[in-house]
Amino acid sequence: MHEESRLTAYHEAGHMVVAWKLGLNVLGATIVPDPEEGYAGRVKVPVEDRVRYADWVKSEEDYLYAHLVRCYAGMEAGERYVGTPMPELNIDLGLVGPDSDYPQIADVLLTIAGPDQDEQIETDERAKRHARNLVSSRWSQIEAVAQTLLERETLDEGECRQVLESVGLS
């Protein structure tokens, strides 16, 4: 197995586990690269008007914050896997496909934190810390999901649910 595939599996597993933990829907995952679409792997987590469960979500801002944390969790899991920060890693931080209302992190931060740059910076840092904490506390689950991705390469919605539930996320 190529080291690049392993890194991609950990990155995508980070997205999956944290999204699920935060109550977001995970509709599919792959570590099969698609150069035409510009990704080495992908987890489908749509921005919707609902969550599976999430008592903590009281507003659109809370919901978008969960997506922001999910984005950063992939980077955090990849960095934890290799054991070093990877600022040169080119990662698409778009939240969903081209039809999204929130295609860029900056747009999400503006919606969550408003126009004040200091508030945007604080919100961004808080989301990164939240992602780091979730990745750290769920590392064994991320490892198990990454292993499944390495074995199967692509999971549909039902398979994602089954894998996430099998590692103790309900």
Side-chain angles (χ1 to χ4, degrees):
M1 184 63 54
H2 292 89
E3 190 59 27
E4 188 174 317
S5 295
R6 296 187 65 74
L7 173 58
T8 299
Y10 276 85
H11 175 90
E12 302 308 336
H15 286 314
M16 286 177 66
V17 167
V18 168
W20 195 260
K21 174 65 181 151
L22 293 174
L24 301 173
N25 290 308
V26 179
L27 303 183
T30 187
I31 61 168
V32 177
D34 186 337
E36 288 185 20
E37 291 292 321
Y39 63 79
R42 174 177 245 170
V43 173
K44 295 178 194 168
V45 181
V47 175
E48 305 172 297
D49 59 357
R50 62 186 171 79
V51 293
R52 289 179 302 104
Y53 68 89
D55 294 340
W56 64 273
V57 175
K58 308 285 187 232
S59 66
E60 177 186 26
E61 289 80 12
D62 290 344
Y63 181 70
L64 291 175
Y65 175 80
H67 277 279
L68 189 61
V69 172
R70 188 260 317 160
C71 283
Y72 287 133
M75 289 185 287
E76 181 65 32
E79 289 182 352
R80 182 173 174 136
Y81 171 71
V82 298
T84 184
M86 299 182 303
E88 73 283 352
L89 193 61
N90 181 17
I91 298 171
D92 176 17
L93 292 180
L95 293 177
V96 292
D99 56 333
S100 169
D101 292 334
Y102 306 98
Q104 302 295 324
I105 293 294
D107 294 336
V108 173
L109 286 171
L110 181 62
T111 301
I112 296 171
D116 183 277
Q117 285 187 330
D118 290 337
E119 186 64 29
Q120 289 177 19
I121 291 167
E122 173 52 35
T123 300
D124 188 56
E125 290 302 315
R126 183 168 41 97
K128 288 175 182 175
R129 283 191 307 271
H130 196 166
R132 189 169 29 258
N133 290 337
L134 286 171
V135 166
S136 178
S137 67
R138 304 278 176 199
W139 188 246
S140 63
Q141 293 163 321
I142 290 169
E143 287 180 310
V145 171
Q147 186 58 45
T148 300
L149 282 168
L150 287 165
E151 292 166 5
R152 298 190 197 169
E153 294 187 330
T154 299
L155 304 170
D156 65 21
E157 181 178 4
E159 291 167 326
C160 285
R161 177 181 298 274
Q162 181 182 34
V163 167
L164 291 163
E165 289 174 351
S166 75
V167 298
L169 292 167
S170 52

